[in-house]
Coordinates of all heavy atoms in Angstrom, one line a residue:
P485 N -6.5 79.6 -40.6 CA -7.6 80.1 -39.7 C -7.3 79.7 -38.3 O -8.0 80.3 -37.4 CB -8.8 79.3 -40.3 CG -8.2 78.1 -40.9 CD -6.9 78.5 -41.5
H486 N -6.4 78.7 -38.0 CA -6.2 78.3 -36.6 C -4.7 78.4 -36.3 O -3.9 77.7 -36.9 CB -6.6 76.9 -36.4 CG -8.1 76.6 -36.8 ND1 -9.1 77.1 -36.0 CD2 -8.7 76.1 -37.9 CE1 -10.3 76.8 -36.6 NE2 -10.0 76.2 -37.7
I487 N -4.4 79.3 -35.4 CA -3.0 79.6 -35.1 C -2.8 79.3 -33.6 O -3.5 79.8 -32.8 CB -2.5 81.0 -35.5 CG1 -2.6 81.2 -37.0 CG2 -1.1 81.3 -35.0 CD1 -2.3 82.6 -37.5
Y488 N -1.7 78.5 -33.3 CA -1.4 78.2 -31.9 C 0.0 78.6 -31.6 O 0.9 78.6 -32.4 CB -1.5 76.7 -31.7 CG -2.9 76.1 -31.9 CD1 -3.4 75.7 -33.1 CD2 -3.8 76.1 -30.8 CE1 -4.6 75.2 -33.3 CE2 -5.1 75.6 -30.9 CZ -5.5 75.1 -32.2 OH -6.8 74.6 -32.3
L489 N 0.2 79.0 -30.3 CA 1.5 79.4 -29.8 C 1.9 78.3 -28.8 O 1.1 78.0 -27.9 CB 1.5 80.7 -29.1 CG 1.1 82.0 -29.9 CD1 1.3 83.2 -29.0 CD2 1.9 82.1 -31.1
L490 N 3.1 77.7 -29.1 CA 3.6 76.6 -28.2 C 4.8 77.1 -27.5 O 5.8 77.5 -28.1 CB 3.9 75.4 -29.1 CG 4.4 74.2 -28.3 CD1 3.4 73.7 -27.3 CD2 4.7 73.1 -29.3
N491 N 4.7 77.1 -26.2 CA 5.9 77.5 -25.3 C 6.3 78.9 -25.7 O 7.5 79.2 -25.8 CB 7.0 76.5 -25.5 CG 8.1 76.8 -24.5 OD1 7.9 77.0 -23.3 ND2 9.4 76.8 -24.9
P492 N 5.4 79.9 -25.8 CA 5.8 81.2 -26.2 C 6.4 82.0 -25.0 O 6.0 81.9 -23.9 CB 4.5 81.9 -26.6 CG 3.4 81.2 -25.7 CD 3.9 79.8 -25.5
S493 N 7.3 82.9 -25.3 CA 7.8 83.8 -24.3 C 6.9 85.0 -24.2 O 6.0 85.2 -25.1 CB 9.2 84.4 -24.8 OG 9.1 85.1 -26.0
P494 N 6.9 85.8 -23.1 CA 6.0 87.0 -23.0 C 6.2 87.9 -24.2 O 5.2 88.5 -24.7 CB 6.5 87.6 -21.7 CG 7.0 86.5 -20.9 CD 7.7 85.6 -21.9
F495 N 7.5 88.0 -24.7 CA 7.7 88.9 -25.9 C 7.0 88.4 -27.1 O 6.4 89.2 -27.8 CB 9.2 88.9 -26.1 CG 9.6 89.7 -27.3 CD1 9.7 91.1 -27.2 CD2 10.0 89.1 -28.5 CE1 10.0 91.9 -28.3 CE2 10.3 89.9 -29.6 CZ 10.4 91.3 -29.5
L496 N 7.0 87.1 -27.4 CA 6.3 86.5 -28.5 C 4.8 86.7 -28.4 O 4.1 87.0 -29.3 CB 6.7 85.1 -28.7 CG 6.0 84.3 -29.9 CD1 6.2 85.0 -31.2 CD2 6.4 82.9 -29.9
M497 N 4.3 86.5 -27.2 CA 2.9 86.6 -27.0 C 2.4 88.1 -27.3 O 1.4 88.3 -27.9 CB 2.5 86.3 -25.5 CG 2.8 84.8 -25.2 SD 2.7 84.4 -23.4 CE 0.9 84.5 -23.2
N498 N 3.1 89.0 -26.8 CA 2.8 90.4 -27.1 C 2.9 90.7 -28.6 O 2.1 91.5 -29.2 CB 3.7 91.4 -26.3 CG 3.4 91.4 -24.9 OD1 2.3 91.1 -24.5 ND2 4.4 91.6 -24.0
K499 N 3.9 90.1 -29.3 CA 4.1 90.4 -30.7 C 3.0 89.8 -31.5 O 2.5 90.4 -32.4 CB 5.4 89.7 -31.1 CG 5.8 89.9 -32.6 CD 7.0 89.2 -33.0 CE 8.3 89.7 -32.3 NZ 9.5 89.0 -32.9
V500 N 2.5 88.6 -31.1 CA 1.4 88.0 -31.8 C 0.1 88.8 -31.6 O -0.7 89.0 -32.6 CB 1.2 86.5 -31.3 CG1 -0.1 85.9 -31.8 CG2 2.3 85.6 -31.7
K501 N -0.1 89.3 -30.4 CA -1.3 90.1 -30.2 C -1.4 91.3 -31.1 O -2.4 91.7 -31.6 CB -1.4 90.5 -28.7 CG -1.7 89.4 -27.7 CD -1.6 89.9 -26.3 CE -1.9 88.8 -25.3 NZ -1.8 89.3 -23.9
T502 N -0.2 91.9 -31.2 CA -0.1 93.1 -32.1 C -0.3 92.8 -33.5 O -1.1 93.5 -34.2 CB 1.3 93.8 -31.9 OG1 1.5 94.1 -30.5 CG2 1.4 95.0 -32.7
V503 N 0.4 91.8 -34.1 CA 0.3 91.5 -35.5 C -1.1 91.0 -35.9 O -1.6 91.4 -36.9 CB 1.4 90.4 -35.8 CG1 1.2 89.9 -37.3 CG2 2.8 91.0 -35.7
Y504 N -1.7 90.2 -35.0 CA -3.0 89.6 -35.4 C -4.2 90.4 -34.8 O -5.3 90.0 -35.0 CB -3.0 88.2 -34.9 CG -2.3 87.2 -35.8 CD1 -1.0 87.0 -35.7 CD2 -3.0 86.6 -36.9 CE1 -0.3 86.2 -36.5 CE2 -2.3 85.8 -37.8 CZ -0.9 85.6 -37.6 OH -0.3 84.7 -38.5

Side-chain angles (χ1 to χ4, degrees):
H486 304 286
I487 297 178
Y488 294 91
L489 300 185
L490 180 61
N491 189 44
S493 66
F495 178 77
L496 177 60
M497 294 169 73
N498 290 328
K499 184 186 291 188
V500 169
K501 289 178 184 179
T502 302
V503 171
Y504 282 88

